[in-house]
Amino acid sequence: MASQALASNTPSVPSSGIATNSASTEATAAWPSRPVRMVVPYPPGSTPDLIARYVSEKLGGVIGQPVVIDNRVGAGGNIGTGYVARAKPDGYTLLFTINGPLVTAPLLYSRLGYDPARDFVPVALIATSPSVLVVDARLPVRTVAELRAYAAARPGKLAYGSVGKGSSAHLTMEQFKSRAEIDLLHVPYASYAQVVTAMMGGHVQVAFMVPGSAMPQVQTGKLRALAVTAPARSMLLPDLPTMIESGFSQLESTTWQALLAPANTPAPIVERLQKIIADLLHDDATRAAFKANYFLPATGAVSLLGDFMKTERERWAVWIRAANLHPEP
């Protein structure tokens, strides 16, 4: 698993969704006068939790107040995300999450209870990583082609793990299944740690995972890595071929973590947070910590996260339609 040495790069704040009136200016002058809560909608020890804890510690050191992690777990991250959407926009409640609740959940749940575009102001894109396709090392497969042939000969006999419906691990595998014309059973879990445990226990045989969760077990020989979902070979795992190289054109996906605040959070608070995160992500020690844990700091202007989220929603919508997945009532 990824260690606690983590952090990353920054993005965005659209002009809409940020409060700029005189009342917010007065509140901003005193911010922060008490601890800040950073909600992570995933379990303690999960990859986003570890990254969030690194960022929260560094952020707290700069602003002079503790930044306390609040793990609000459930519904694939949607419960914690919804909690922040309804929080007071005063800079004392932040959301640290991965792409699922912001990008794919709105496409898969008709009664989500929040709207990512309406209810949040983007603060910063924190870290990015490709997914890695891994299998139980006891399977007699060493390439994507061999996995495809093995699964095709055993329709419905193999299972794959994910971190929930709508996660990139789920949707990337559904895309692979469709393109490879194979039948795999989906078994969702609450975290990648649980997926790893299930794979080593023989309950599931294959998964797309973030490298930080998969590679320690790959190095021990318990799991086997076959390919990455990056558009080109990743500097994090240069010896692994891409899914594109393995015969699946356009099968690429990125897992990312981002920091957001409730809509109408005062602009000066958002801007201060962005500057702090930008400085943190350009720190050599932080960048080294990310690389050691199979993440890269997200680079680019701080104004890009909103547009990036919109582009991601459009891209994943195509995959969801291709996988014939429909929103739950």
Side-chain angles (χ1 to χ4, degrees):
M1 287 293 296
S3 75
Q4 207 161 329
L6 291 160
S8 178
N9 193 353
T10 138
S12 111
V13 185
S15 57
S16 61
I18 305 179
T20 58
N21 59 31
S22 59
S24 70
T25 301
E26 293 175 6
T28 300
W31 185 89
S33 60
R34 54 186 169 85
V36 174
R37 173 183 299 183
M38 184 179 288
V39 174
V40 179
Y42 295 96
S46 63
T47 299
D49 174 76
L50 292 173
I51 300 174
R53 289 180 188 277
Y54 182 94
V55 172
S56 68
E57 179 183 356
K58 300 299 183 182
L59 177 59
V62 175
I63 65 175
Q65 288 285 349
V67 179
V68 181
I69 297 297
D70 181 358
N71 298 97
R72 290 186 175 256
V73 181
N78 299 341
I79 289 177
T81 303
Y83 173 83
V84 177
R86 297 183 294 273
K88 186 177 180 180
D90 56 6
Y92 290 96
T93 303
L94 304 173
L95 173 67
F96 194 107
T97 186
I98 62 175
N99 32 333
L102 301 174
V103 172
T104 55
L107 302 170
L108 292 169
Y109 297 94
S110 58
R111 297 181 182 178
L112 194 57
Y114 64 87
D115 181 338
R118 179 195 65 208
D119 295 334
F120 298 99
V121 55
V123 175
L125 185 63
I126 300 297
T128 64
S129 176
S131 294
V132 57
L133 176 61
V134 295
V135 297
D136 184 335
R138 291 166 289 194
L139 261 60
V141 300
R142 294 187 174 275
T143 66
V144 177
E146 289 179 358
L147 172 61
R148 180 183 190 178
Y150 187 82
R154 298 162 179 80
K157 300 297 184 182
L158 300 182
Y160 77 91
S162 83
V163 286
K165 179 180 177 180
S167 65
S168 60
H170 170 219
L171 296 178
T172 303
M173 188 64 79
E174 288 298 317
Q175 179 75 351
F176 174 55
K177 282 173 51 180
S178 175
R179 299 276 297 280
E181 298 181 326
I182 56 177
D183 180 19
L184 304 174
L185 174 67
H186 178 211
V187 184
Y189 294 92
S191 68
Y192 281 117
Q194 292 182 7
V195 176
V196 170
T197 299
M199 291 190 75
M200 293 192 297
H203 304 294
V204 298
Q205 292 75 41
V206 58
F208 280 104
M209 287 196 283
V210 291
S213 294
M215 295 311 295
Q217 301 305 326
V218 170
Q219 292 162 357
T220 65
K222 294 178 181 178
L223 302 181
R224 181 176 298 124
L226 304 184
V228 294
T229 60
R233 292 211 178 198
S234 172
M235 64 178 290
L236 299 171
L237 298 165
D239 295 333
L240 284 180
T242 66
M243 292 297 294
I244 296 171
E245 286 180 79
S246 302
F248 294 88
S249 63
Q250 300 182 342
L251 205 164
E252 57 182 87
S253 66
T254 301
T255 296
W256 45 269
Q257 294 80 31
L259 183 67
L260 301 94
N264 298 314
T265 295
I269 293 177
V270 174
E271 291 162 1
R272 186 180 178 194
L273 286 168
Q274 288 180 322
K275 184 179 186 308
I276 294 170
I277 295 296
D279 291 344
L280 172 64
L281 299 176
H282 286 87
D283 179 77
D284 288 343
T286 295
R287 296 174 69 86
F290 267 76
K291 186 175 180 180
N293 289 276
Y294 302 99
F295 280 88
L296 295 174
T299 56
V302 293
S303 61
L304 297 181
L305 179 55
D307 289 340
F308 176 69
M309 288 168 56
K310 182 176 182 293
T311 300
E312 283 282 278
R313 281 194 291 269
E314 293 170 350
R315 184 172 69 86
W316 284 104
V318 173
W319 280 33
I320 288 170
R321 288 194 296 270
N324 198 32
L325 298 174
H326 304 285
E328 292 185 358

